[in-house]
Amino acid sequence: MAVDYTVIVVYLAGMLAMGWWGMRRARSKSEFLVAGRRLGPAMYSGTMAAIVLGGASTIGGVGLGYQYGLSGAWMVFAIGLGLLALSVFFSARIARLKVYTVSEMLDLRYGGRAGVISGVVMWAYTLMLATTSTIAYATIFDVLFDMNRTLAIVLGGSIVVAYSTLGGMWSITLTDMVQFVVKTIGVLLLLLPIAVVKAGGFGEMRAKLPTGYFDPLGIGGETIFTYVLIYTFGMLIGQDIWQRVFTARSDTTARWGGTVAGTYCLAYALAGAVIGTAAKVLYPNLANADDAFATIVKDELPIGVRGLVLAAALAAVMSTSSGALIACATVANNDIWSRLRGAVRGARGERDDQGEAGEQVERDEVRGNRVFILVMGVAVIGTAIALNNVVEALTVAYNLLVGGLLVPILGGLLWKRGTVQGALASVIVGGLAVVGLMASYGILANQPVYYGLLSSLAAYLVVSLATPATDAAVLAAWRERLAGRAPEPAYESVPTPQ
């Protein structure tokens, strides 16, 4: 295993080095949070694919393939469909808004007052998403080093927190590009063909497994519908995804780069299902389907290749974890803490003066966001140690996101009659309904997100129609931002040192 260990250690050291290099570029709020809004098509596509294809897509996708065969691809397939829909229909408009968070978009569209409540819901989603990715370190490091669960979480989480805190989105972008390449080589180019060959080829796989394993709808219509509802729509509104859209340097980059990333996700989904199906042939009696990935890697791959593929799994987990972490910290700082602090100062009659010079303000904001990433990172590691069930944590995250925020966000983009009162009612009613129904039906039940979404939609429509329409000046300013004609926010264009 010495060669495999060396591969992993070199990979982890490279991640920290990327963080240090990214720190030199992140000198302004824009550079730190959205990479200066300057990513071109290649880098944008790679980093977008990296963040959406995490541990659940890699380890969980193979596990679903082990359980259900080719139809196990539907979970990751739904993620790819969501990314395609976001890129084709919404990404250009989102990129032109020149904001940092989803809650800022809601404030622009509805005229303020929606930010803190929507920020709390989005913060809870990003915190749980980062937590689920951090828990996955335990599985990978257990296979690698037979490491204690808590120590594995602390080790993996600390590396992600370190490079994210150092350079913000620039560090995360650079590491995600490396992770994208490692995942492509490790999973698509190495593990996929080796797994199929070891299982005897597709003919042998068909002969040894029930025909249902090759039915594209074998996982069940209701499960497919739930995946689309949660993951496809979740891709449209998540802060972690939008924050990557904000990094695109142009509308074209956001649209076509995202389309390439979404297409890559579809291929990755099928690859995971095929690998899981091959694992079912090789190891038909595994106690836990999620062990399929680690088992086939540990037992079937040659030395060196095994280390690279495990590095690919680690890359998948780290990319999602770091993206969710910076999203969580951005929301906590910009949508919750800054607003509450401003409200308190306003009530006291104090000025919210951040400094005399723009450069000083930028340094203060970078420092503040860096502190929030560190604090949120510690909170994520602590939460991951306390929790055991990844699926339940991920389900809570997406139920809150879709049930509480899908309607007011898409409503704001598509329906001009929506009002701030309707948006607030939608967030509160949908969020409370989801939480109450999860307590009643169980966290893993489908009913909470179904009924929560319906109640959110009903509240949005009824309250919006019952309250005065959004002020014409607010809508006019909103249309200017959507069209990209509004002036750049202050201090956006701070030169990046070479």
Side-chain angles (χ1 to χ4, degrees):
M1 292 288 289
V3 175
D4 295 327
Y5 292 161
T6 301
V7 172
I8 297 297
V9 170
V10 169
Y11 168 76
L12 293 176
M15 295 300 99
L16 291 174
M18 291 288 184
W20 184 261
W21 189 83
M23 183 178 65
R24 300 177 59 194
R25 300 180 66 93
R27 300 295 181 86
S28 70
K29 180 179 180 181
S30 175
E31 298 284 352
F32 191 82
L33 294 182
V34 291
R37 308 187 195 275
R38 292 188 295 149
L39 297 193
M43 188 166 283
Y44 179 86
S45 298
T47 57
M48 182 63 86
I51 188 176
V52 299
L53 296 174
S57 300
T58 304
I59 298 171
V62 171
L64 288 171
Y66 184 88
Q67 283 182 281
Y68 302 104
L70 298 186
S71 66
W74 270 104
M75 183 186 77
V76 185
F77 203 81
I79 292 173
L81 291 177
L83 188 51
L84 286 171
L86 174 71
S87 302
V88 173
F89 298 112
F90 299 108
S91 62
R93 284 185 283 176
I94 293 170
R96 287 196 293 265
L97 290 175
K98 294 291 189 291
V99 295
Y100 292 103
T101 68
V102 174
S103 294
E104 287 181 43
M105 167 263 167
L106 292 173
D107 277 351
L108 282 171
R109 166 60 182 83
Y110 295 110
R113 295 182 292 170
V116 173
I117 295 177
S118 61
V120 169
V121 175
M122 188 64 77
W123 174 80
Y125 156 73
T126 53
L127 179 70
M128 296 306 290
L129 184 63
T131 298
T132 60
S133 301
T134 304
I135 292 173
Y137 296 129
T139 301
I140 299 171
F141 283 115
D142 178 57
V143 174
L144 283 171
F145 308 117
D146 193 24
M147 186 179 291
N148 172 270
R149 178 183 183 275
T150 298
L151 182 59
I153 290 173
V154 171
L155 175 61
S158 297
I159 292 171
V160 169
V161 172
Y163 72 69
S164 301
T165 302
L166 286 172
M169 186 59 81
W170 266 123
S171 293
I172 293 170
T173 297
L174 296 170
T175 54
D176 276 0
M177 277 305 298
V178 175
Q179 290 158 357
F180 171 74
V181 172
V182 171
K183 280 193 289 192
T184 301
I185 295 174
V187 175
L188 297 183
L189 301 183
L190 293 176
L191 182 58
L192 175 61
I194 290 173
V196 172
V197 169
K198 291 284 186 177
F202 284 103
E204 189 71 13
M205 290 163 63
R206 283 185 174 275
K208 290 187 176 181
L209 295 174
T211 56
Y213 267 74
F214 301 91
D215 179 358
L217 303 178
I219 199 170
E222 183 179 357
T223 299
I224 294 172
F225 176 76
T226 302
Y227 284 156
V228 171
L229 184 63
I230 293 178
Y231 296 112
T232 301
F233 285 105
M235 289 295 107
L236 299 180
I237 59 175
Q239 169 68 24
D240 52 324
I241 309 302
W242 277 41
Q243 201 157 343
R244 293 309 173 94
V245 176
F246 300 150
T247 65
R249 72 183 179 198
S250 67
D251 299 354
T252 303
T253 297
R255 182 182 295 111
W256 292 108
T259 301
V260 171
T263 304
Y264 178 90
C265 291
L266 302 183
Y268 200 88
L270 184 59
V274 171
I275 293 168
T277 304
K280 184 67 175 179
V281 173
L282 295 168
Y283 311 100
N285 299 312
L286 290 179
N288 186 347
D290 284 341
D291 292 337
F293 179 89
T295 302
I296 197 169
V297 168
K298 191 173 183 179
D299 293 348
E300 302 297 336
L301 298 186
I303 294 173
V305 174
R306 177 171 50 202
L308 182 59
V309 173
L310 286 172
L314 197 57
V317 174
M318 283 187 162
S319 57
T320 300
S321 180
S322 59
L325 176 59
I326 193 172
C328 179
T330 302
V331 170
N333 187 15
N334 291 269
D335 292 338
I336 301 175
W337 170 248
S338 294
R339 294 168 190 263
L340 293 177
R341 184 181 61 180
V344 170
R345 286 183 172 180
R348 293 176 178 174
E350 299 175 5
R351 291 180 57 194
D352 193 10
D353 187 7
Q354 293 181 315
E356 296 180 359
E359 187 176 346
Q360 179 62 42
V361 172
E362 287 291 342
R363 284 199 295 267
D364 291 344
E365 290 187 329
V366 170
R367 188 182 302 114
N369 281 291
R370 190 171 275 139
V371 169
F372 265 86
I373 290 179
L374 181 60
V375 171
M376 290 299 107
V378 173
V380 165
I381 292 172
T383 306
I385 292 172
L387 294 179
N388 287 313
N389 195 311
V390 178
V391 176
E392 287 190 358
L394 193 64
T395 301
V396 170
Y398 275 96
N399 281 354
L400 283 172
L401 179 69
V402 174
L405 291 178
L406 178 66
V407 171
I409 293 172
L410 293 189
L413 290 170
L414 301 173
W415 190 44
K416 66 179 182 180
R417 185 59 182 83
T419 67
V420 65
Q421 294 88 351
L424 288 171
S426 179
V427 173
I428 295 170
V429 171
L432 291 177
V434 164
V435 172
L437 290 168
M438 283 193 293
S440 176
Y441 286 97
I443 290 176
L444 298 180
N446 293 329
Q447 289 89 341
V449 71
Y450 293 168
Y451 299 143
L453 188 57
L454 288 174
S455 63
S456 178
L457 177 60
Y460 183 70
L461 294 175
V462 171
V463 176
S464 290
L465 292 173
T467 52
T470 303
D471 186 83
V474 172
L475 288 177
W478 166 253
R479 286 192 292 269
E480 287 294 301
R481 291 294 285 266
L482 278 179
R485 294 191 293 265
E488 290 283 320
Y491 313 123
E492 274 286 297
S493 301
V494 175
T496 301
Q498 299 299 318

